[in-house]
Amino acid sequence: MRFSIPPDHPCLDGHFPGRPLVPGVVLLEHVLQAIEAAHAPATPLRLPQVKFLRPLLPGQVAEVVLDGVAPRWRFEVRGEDGVLARGEVREATHG
């Protein structure tokens, strides 16, 4: 799933003045949307492991890449310059 955050998106207000960066929580929101679109999990999800490696700037294109099946997925958010974030998502009812 590819996405881009426009420069006028409200999440950028104050994050950070003069050099806006897309907040990590917005990247994770797109990860959860990709899982829900591809796998339609029936239970709440949790993120036991996440690493942010590079920033995403407004207007840049990123892509969510998933690996796995319920109840556990590994993910990467990839940008033009490499991996932006990676981690794991699990259904909340599974350890």
Side-chain angles (χ1 to χ4, degrees):
M1 177 175 127
R2 294 171 63 88
F3 69 94
S4 177
I5 305 301
D8 61 347
H9 193 283
C11 76
L12 301 172
D13 288 346
H15 202 270
F16 293 93
R19 180 150 163 69
L21 301 174
V22 176
V25 69
V26 174
L27 298 182
L28 297 178
E29 180 179 307
H30 281 83
V31 169
L32 296 178
Q33 289 174 3
I35 289 171
E36 290 172 354
H39 302 281
T43 64
L45 301 174
R46 63 187 184 91
L47 295 140
Q49 178 185 24
V50 177
K51 288 190 179 191
F52 295 98
L53 305 168
R54 290 184 168 87
L56 178 64
L57 302 177
Q60 289 183 330
V61 175
E63 179 178 18
V64 176
V65 179
L66 300 173
D67 180 35
V69 295
R72 178 179 176 261
W73 299 268
R74 302 220 30 92
F75 72 85
E76 285 189 346
V77 180
R78 298 177 184 165
E80 299 167 0
D81 296 327
V83 177
L84 307 173
R86 67 170 50 114
E88 178 179 292
V89 178
R90 292 185 183 205
E91 290 182 346
T93 58
H94 290 82

